[in-house]
Each structure stands twice: as structure tokens, then as C-alpha cells.
Amino acid sequence: MRAADGHAAGAEARGEGRAPLDLKQLRAIVTVAEVGSVTRAAELLHLVQPAVTRQIRTLEQELGVDLFERTGQGMRPTEAGAVMVDRARRALNELERARAEVQRAPGEVRGIVTLGLLESTADLLADLLVAALARDHPGVELRLMTAYSGHLQQWLDDGDLDLTLLYNLDSTPSLNARPLVRERLWAVAPASAGLRADRPVAFAEAAGHPLVMPAAGHALRRLIDAAAARSGATMEIAVQTNSLRVQKRLVRAGHGWTVLPGVGIAEDVARGALSAAPLAEPEVWRRVVLGTQRAGRTPPAVEVVGRELVRQIDSAVEEGRWPSAEVQGA
């Protein structure tokens, strides 16, 4: 091989001389992955179908791998395609955030913030938080994600969330956990059971009923299992689910009792759909924290959302809208 040829081959191996990734290509693969169709993606991108196909093929040629396979259900990312789609989506989100931050008037806070809320807190916090931000910081675009704590922590670790509520988590080298609330878990039963907030229920009594439980491995389930071990009670588990709403629905239908944080059932108890009482013997508590990433710069919009979220939580506890909760110091 001639020296010139060897130099060219080395440059190609290092990626020198290759065309840079095009934003249009990134938007094309993300949109096709989301809708599963080149035709539909072209409509959403306001392009003709051959243009979208060409963008994907050009990117595949640059990378040397297939990004999609055509199936009976439409276009599906290959393993390599799934990696590219994930990274492309994050890159596009970061560019969108940067554009929102820099295109602002002096003193105005602008930006896109993705916030995670524990499913049990969403009904209490989401509406008031959105209203407060719309009133005081209209330049902030809020994106809300709800899930259980384990999923939210993973999304924060992966960079898909800017900040999130979590529970029973301490700070780690990569994440900062600010304590917000300590709250008690409650025994929850059909309204006909007549449970009352001023009459705590022993864990053994609750365990004497068929139980609708969070799925094994869930952080709340671990708290409940630990309480069962301390009390010496044996639980009769009627059904397991990974959905808070399904838990409550099954209890209302009479399939058993369950154990939930007070914030997750306050409205149901207030309207008489469920009855509930704090657990005793032993008492069971969870700590709610605000999780953020330690690394990197914190955009002003993220700081604004964090402050407003903490303010809404403090108000909910102070006004008694978050049952058996205590505000924790930072």
C-alpha cells in the first residue's frame, strides 16, 4: 500500500473527512422511530417521503450500519438504531433547551425543564405547579413525567430528567438528594371498612386481610415487606400491580386492603371513595427527596422549577393537604 493510501485509510478509520451528522438526519430517525412510518414522519416533518428516506440512508451509509428494519408493524429501529435514536433525541432536546435559554429578554427566565413526579404526588402537585409557573415564569416550558421512584431515578441517571422527586434515597457521587418531606404510610380499605385518620391500625390487623400490593422489587413494597418482618405478620397477597391507580381501584372494588402513602389517597378519602388510617405497630415512614444531578451547570429554568416545587410541597404540608407529612430540613 502506498504511503498516501495508508494515510487516507488511517484518516478514514479515525473519522476524518466524514460528513458531520446533520440535524435533519437526527430529526428524521427520531421521528420515524416514534411513529414507525416514513410516510407519517414525512408528514410531521413537512417533507416528501423520498427526502426522509434519503436522510436515513445517508446516515446509515456514514455509520456503516442499518438503523431500521421494516416489519409488519412498520419501521422498527435495529439495535444500533435504538442507540442512535436515543442519543439523537437527547442531542435535539439539548439544542432546543439551549435555543430557549439564549433567545430571551434580559432578566427573563426561559428554558425547557423535564421534571419527574412520584405517581402518588402527581394529583396534589401537578396542577398547582403548572399554574404557578405559567403565572410567574411563562418562558419556562415544563415537561412532566410520572412514575415510581426506581424508574424516576434511572431516568435522572440517564439524563432524561433535570430533577425529580424520589424517596428513601441518600446523596450519591452522581446525584444530590435534598430532603423535603417525611411521611407516614397508611392502611387503605374500602369505604365500608370505616378506617379513620385518628385511629391508627396495627400492621398485623391490616395483614389479616387480602392485600393488593405493589409488585415485588418496588421500593414501596420493600418498605411494606420490612414492616411485615418487624411485626411478625404473614401477608396474604391477593394481587400485585405496578400501578397506583389500579391498586386503589381494586381496593374500591373490594378485592382487599393495601398500604399507600397518605398523599396518594387523600382525595379518595375526602370524597368517601376509600377509608384509611395510619399504620402502627410498627409505624412505617418514607422520606421524599428532590433528586438532581451533581455534574454540569444547572440552568436558571431548572432552578426556578425546583424552588417552585419546594414551595408547593411546603404549602401542601402546612395546609394539611399532604396527610401525616413533616417538612424536612435541607
Side-chain angles (χ1 to χ4, degrees):
M1 180 181 293
R2 291 177 300 177
D5 292 338
H7 177 75
E12 182 178 355
R14 294 189 299 270
E16 298 173 11
R18 294 180 183 174
L21 295 179
D22 190 301
L23 289 181
K24 293 179 181 178
Q25 294 172 332
L26 300 186
R27 292 191 182 97
I29 65 170
V30 169
T31 307
V32 170
E34 289 176 346
V35 301
S37 163
V38 173
T39 302
R40 178 59 179 148
E43 294 174 356
L44 294 173
L45 294 169
H46 304 291
L47 296 171
V48 294
Q49 180 177 338
V52 175
T53 300
R54 184 169 58 253
Q55 289 166 354
I56 293 174
R57 285 180 178 170
T58 300
L59 184 55
E60 288 178 328
Q61 290 170 357
E62 292 173 1
L63 297 172
V65 294
D66 291 332
L67 298 177
F68 290 93
E69 58 180 346
R70 190 178 297 277
T71 71
Q73 289 73 44
M75 297 285 283
R76 184 175 66 187
T78 62
E79 184 176 348
V83 173
M84 280 300 300
V85 168
D86 180 58
R87 300 298 184 182
R89 184 182 288 115
R90 294 185 191 182
L92 293 171
N93 285 341
E94 284 301 309
L95 288 171
E96 190 177 356
R97 286 161 57 106
R99 183 180 292 112
E101 285 187 49
V102 300
Q103 293 178 334
R104 63 183 179 88
E108 180 187 22
V109 177
R110 292 183 61 86
I112 300 167
V113 180
T114 306
L115 167 68
L117 292 180
L118 294 163
E119 189 179 5
S120 57
T121 68
D123 288 345
L124 176 67
L125 298 174
D127 184 20
L128 294 175
L129 177 63
V130 169
L133 290 172
R135 180 188 67 238
D136 299 331
H137 300 285
V140 174
E141 179 184 329
L142 184 64
R143 298 177 179 178
L144 283 176
M145 306 286 286
T146 64
Y148 286 127
S149 185
H151 293 136
L152 294 172
Q153 184 179 349
Q154 184 62 57
W155 296 342
L156 183 63
D157 286 335
D158 291 343
D160 296 325
L161 295 176
D162 296 302
L163 67 170
T164 184
L165 294 183
L166 302 167
Y167 66 86
N168 287 11
L169 180 74
D170 295 318
S171 295
T172 70
S174 61
L175 300 180
N176 182 62
R178 174 185 173 182
L180 298 179
V181 169
R182 177 176 178 258
E183 66 168 332
R184 197 168 174 181
L185 298 190
W186 291 49
V188 183
S192 59
L195 300 186
R196 291 173 39 172
D198 60 347
R199 294 180 181 174
V201 169
F203 190 95
E205 179 183 345
H209 298 264
L211 293 174
V212 179
M213 286 284 99
H218 184 281
L220 183 60
R221 175 64 179 276
R222 289 195 290 270
L223 284 177
I224 298 168
D225 288 346
R230 294 200 303 273
S231 71
T234 299
M235 297 186 293
E236 179 191 344
I237 299 176
V239 65
Q240 302 180 55
T241 175
N242 65 349
S243 168
L244 172 70
R245 297 188 186 281
V246 171
Q247 269 182 268
K248 295 192 291 185
R249 183 181 184 88
L250 291 174
V251 173
R252 288 197 303 269
H255 294 286
W257 289 24
T258 192
V259 176
L260 288 170
V263 67
I265 44 89
E267 291 187 4
D268 304 270
V269 172
R271 68 172 185 268
L274 294 169
S275 63
L279 277 174
E281 301 175 29
E283 295 181 1
V284 188
W285 295 79
R286 74 169 183 175
R287 294 181 300 109
V288 177
V289 304
L290 179 61
T292 55
Q293 293 183 336
R294 287 188 181 276
R297 164 183 169 273
T298 302
V302 174
E303 294 179 350
V304 161
V305 171
R307 286 197 299 269
E308 185 57 40
L309 176 63
V310 172
R311 193 181 74 81
Q312 292 294 338
I313 289 173
D314 289 348
S315 295
V317 174
E318 182 180 349
E319 295 167 9
R321 292 182 285 114
W322 192 319
S324 66
E326 303 170 356
V327 172
Q328 301 289 284

